[in-house]
Amino acid sequence: MQCKELVRGLETMWPCSFAESWDNVGLLAGRADKEIRNVLLALDATDLVVEEAVRRGADLLLTHHPLIFSARKQINDGDFIGRRLVKLLGADICCYAMHTNFDVLSMADAAADRIGLKQRRVLDVTFEDGERQEGIGRLGTLPEAVSLKALGERIKEVFHLESVKIFGGRDQKVSLAAICPGSGKSVIGKSVEMRADVLITGDIDHHEGIDAMAMGLCVIDAGHYGLEQIFLPYMEAYLEREWKELTIWRAEEKNPFWIL
C-alpha cells in the first residue's frame, strides 16, 4: 500500500486535530506515494533507531515522539536532527509521528488498563463536544486499596521496570489513582483538584515531588520511557490486525539512561 493510504487509516483512528497545539504530528518526512511493506516502530527517532531503519530496509519509521518539533529553515547534515532526516530521506524511508493525539485517544487508557483502573474519567480535558470528553491522563479507582509500596511493586511488574521513584509513605493506603504516561508535571494540580491519592507518571523532580506531597498527593515516577514504551506493543498489535500484509518490527530500544 502507499504511505498516504496507511496515513489515512492512522489519522482516522488518531486524528491529528486531537494533538496539542504545540505538538508536531503526522507525516514529517518522505513521499506520500511511497510503497509501504515494512514498518519499524520506535518511541524516538534516535541515531540508533534511524540506523536500524536503514539497515533493516524499513519503508516507514513510525514513532511516538516527533523527530521534528520546532520550525526548521534548513535540512542538512549540520546538526543531529538534520543528519537523521538526510539519512532517512536518502534511504527513501518515510517518517511519521503520532504523539499527543495518541496520548489523548489511547495511551492513557492503555496504561490504565494495565493497572486495572475502574470507573475512569479524563484527568485533564483537552476536547469536549457535549457527547464525549478526551484529554491527557486518566483518573480511576484501583481494584482495591493498597499500600503505596505495593502499588509501586505492581507498576514495576506490569510495565516491566527495574525501579520506580516514589514520593509518599511506604504504608500509605491509596485507592483513587491518576495515571499520565510521559511527563506528568502539568497534571499535578489536576490530580490534587480531583482528589487523587496518587499520580503515576514520569519526569517528576525533587521540588515537584515534595510539593505534591505537601498537597496530599503521592507520586510514583515510573519514568517517561517506562510508561510510554507501551506504545510499541499497542501499535504492533493494531497494525498487524488492520494491515496483515505489512511486516512490523519493534526498534531495538531501551531506556535512554541507566542507574548505577
Side-chain angles (χ1 to χ4, degrees):
M1 81 178 73
Q2 291 188 334
C3 183
K4 60 187 175 185
E5 297 175 75
L6 181 53
V7 165
R8 191 178 305 121
L10 292 173
E11 293 181 1
T12 297
M13 283 290 295
W14 298 280
C16 295
S17 59
F18 280 87
E20 297 275 32
S21 59
W22 49 262
D23 205 2
N24 189 32
V25 299
L27 184 61
L28 304 185
R31 297 186 293 113
D33 64 353
K34 165 75 176 179
E35 195 66 26
I36 305 296
R37 297 184 180 86
N38 305 315
V39 178
L40 180 65
L41 297 173
L43 205 62
D44 296 281
T46 62
D47 289 333
L48 290 176
V49 166
V50 169
E51 289 166 8
E52 183 180 350
V54 174
R55 185 177 71 250
R56 283 178 175 262
D59 300 306
L60 172 68
L61 173 58
L62 176 56
T63 68
H64 181 49
H65 297 132
L67 174 55
I68 306 171
F69 254 122
S70 55
R72 301 181 64 83
K73 293 186 176 181
Q74 299 174 331
I75 295 181
N76 55 46
D77 62 357
D79 61 65
F80 68 93
I81 293 176
R83 285 193 292 274
R84 293 171 189 173
L85 288 166
V86 167
K87 188 168 290 189
L88 288 170
L89 293 172
D92 196 19
I93 299 172
C94 297
C95 184
Y96 188 91
M98 41 197 310
H99 188 208
T100 51
N101 53 328
F102 184 82
D103 287 339
V104 165
L105 295 172
S106 294
M107 182 77 87
D109 275 319
D113 287 343
R114 291 207 175 196
I115 59 173
L117 279 192
K118 302 175 180 178
Q119 301 171 316
R120 70 183 69 158
R121 48 191 166 133
V122 176
L123 181 61
D124 186 10
V125 176
T126 58
F127 171 86
E128 191 169 12
D129 65 1
E131 295 183 3
R132 66 188 282 207
Q133 287 186 335
E134 299 292 352
I136 301 296
R138 295 294 182 268
L139 178 82
T141 305
L142 294 166
E144 61 181 357
V146 294
S147 70
L148 190 57
K149 181 177 184 294
L151 181 58
E153 295 287 358
R154 178 66 176 156
I155 297 299
K156 285 173 54 180
E157 176 188 358
V158 299
F159 289 97
H160 312 292
L161 306 174
E162 292 183 1
S163 64
V164 293
K165 181 169 66 176
I166 301 176
F167 294 90
R170 291 173 179 267
D171 299 323
Q172 186 166 341
K173 291 291 185 182
V174 292
S175 60
L176 185 62
I179 189 162
C180 180
S183 181
K185 302 173 184 180
S186 64
V187 297
I188 289 176
K190 280 287 183 182
S191 301
V192 171
E193 179 185 322
M194 298 177 78
R195 300 183 181 278
D197 299 318
V198 58
L199 169 63
I200 303 153
T201 189
D203 294 347
I204 301 299
D205 67 22
H206 172 83
H207 296 288
E208 291 153 353
I210 61 175
D211 289 351
M213 286 193 296
M215 292 184 283
L217 178 69
C218 300
V219 178
I220 296 178
D221 185 338
H224 200 122
Y225 175 88
L227 294 180
E228 288 196 333
Q229 62 178 314
I230 62 175
F231 172 79
L232 302 179
Y234 188 106
M235 286 308 302
E236 180 181 42
Y238 169 78
L239 292 173
E240 288 180 342
R241 183 175 65 250
E242 298 296 324
W243 287 284
K244 294 180 170 46
E245 67 270 31
L246 294 176
T247 298
I248 313 298
W249 301 307
R250 290 194 214 176
E252 298 167 0
E253 282 184 299
K254 58 183 179 179
N255 205 323
F257 66 89
W258 55 278
I259 296 174
L260 181 61

